[in-house]
Amino acid sequence: SQQGEEDPQALSIQEGENATMNCSYKTSINNLQWYRQNSGRGLVHLILIRSNEREKHSGRLRVTLDTSKKSSSLLITASRAADTASYFCAPADRGSTLGRLYFGRGTQLTVWP
Amino acid sequence: GAVVSQHPSRVICKSGTSVKIECRSLDFQATTMFWYRQFPKKSLMLMATSNEGSKATYEQGVEKDKFLINHASLTLSTLTVTSAHPEDSSFYICSAREQTVNTGELFFGEGSRLTVL
């Protein structure tokens, strides 16, 4: 099983700007998931994109997946101070019946008012 | 949505003592739960997979005698840190997948901050 590698490690922007985070992985996946973690809290699932999908939207979130490059991106549009959090990607391997997910260091997003 | 409750949220103990952390799925059944440990700078490490009614599956490098996992029912898994040492101080987070829906997402507890003096 594999973990995703998020990039950049830290991102600092002003409210209203867009935030883009990237994720790379190494082997074939069934799907890729993005999670958010507020400081000192548990993780919250944001969005899941399947290997046969290229783009998915959920509110102000847009996720893309490029399986040829083994990469994904998470775009948060019109960011708000409340979006400040760490964001993690988790590639789910094909054939993983137990559903283990491995996480990297995440991207720490800071949105300034 | 599915809710996972973790208790205690914070615990301070002395070196050498054991600490138990509970993870409950409140409104769904979970035959499998996962325990993570979060290090400084946010890196999340999967420690083990907790299986209801059977032994837990530990990740490489995780001491099973140090971190005892019990999954006695479909809604409860416990992690016991035995003979705790200061280096065991960390943020422990559990998660579970809703079996009936099986959307692939994990639901996480709020985490437990362990401080070993």
Side-chain angles (χ1 to χ4, degrees):
Chain A
S1 297
Q2 60 179 320
Q3 70 180 42
E5 296 291 340
E6 297 89 353
D7 177 70
Q9 288 189 20
L11 181 60
S12 185
I13 60 174
Q14 294 290 131
E15 266 193 329
E17 295 180 342
N18 295 341
T20 299
M21 289 157 269
N22 302 297
C23 170
S24 60
Y25 58 92
K26 293 181 179 176
T27 61
S28 295
I29 60 171
N30 183 44
N31 65 70
L32 187 140
Q33 302 175 37
W34 284 90
Y35 289 80
R36 165 194 168 130
Q37 182 185 32
N38 285 3
S39 182
R41 307 291 294 273
L43 278 70
V44 175
H45 181 265
L46 293 177
I47 197 165
L48 179 154
I49 186 166
R50 301 191 187 285
S51 59
N52 61 353
E53 297 176 309
R54 291 296 166 259
E55 188 171 312
K56 201 164 183 178
H57 296 255
S58 176
R60 292 184 296 112
L61 305 180
R62 173 179 167 249
V63 168
T64 63
L65 179 65
D66 187 334
T67 52
S68 67
K69 294 182 179 178
K70 293 185 172 57
S71 67
S72 174
S73 68
L74 170 66
L75 168 68
I76 303 175
T77 59
S79 62
R80 305 166 182 168
D83 295 328
T84 295
S86 292
Y87 292 82
F88 296 87
C89 69
D93 287 349
R94 288 186 184 281
S96 175
T97 56
L98 285 178
R100 296 187 186 96
L101 291 182
Y102 295 85
F103 297 86
R105 296 176 183 273
T107 292
Q108 172 62 53
L109 172 66
T110 302
V111 182
W112 299 100
Chain B
V3 177
V4 175
S5 173
Q6 200 170 329
H7 177 81
S9 58
R10 292 179 182 274
V11 57
I12 300 173
C13 70
K14 294 181 179 180
S15 288
T17 60
S18 295
V19 173
K20 181 185 286 187
I21 301 170
E22 293 186 347
C23 180
R24 294 181 185 273
S25 55
L26 294 188
D27 50 0
F28 66 99
Q29 294 183 337
T31 56
T32 304
M33 292 184 176
F34 305 93
W35 286 96
Y36 291 85
R37 178 176 178 176
Q38 189 164 34
F39 294 93
K41 297 188 178 181
K42 309 291 186 181
S43 175
L44 264 174
M45 181 189 82
L46 177 63
M47 299 174 66
T49 302
S50 173
N51 306 300
E52 187 268 334
S54 65
K55 292 182 180 180
T57 306
Y58 290 81
E59 295 294 309
Q60 192 172 8
V62 177
E63 300 176 60
K64 60 181 181 181
D65 295 330
K66 173 75 171 175
F67 300 101
L68 299 180
I69 291 173
N70 184 278
H71 195 151
S73 77
L74 288 171
T75 59
L76 173 64
S77 174
T78 60
L79 168 69
T80 301
V81 182
T82 63
S83 186
H85 289 277
E87 56 265 32
D88 298 325
S89 297
S90 193
F91 193 55
Y92 294 88
I93 314 175
C94 71
S95 67
R97 174 166 286 111
E98 188 170 2
Q99 305 295 139
T100 55
V101 178
N102 195 23
T103 56
E105 67 182 280
L106 290 181
F107 297 93
F108 283 80
E110 288 295 328
S112 298
R113 173 77 58 191
L114 170 64
T115 303
V116 184
L117 302 177

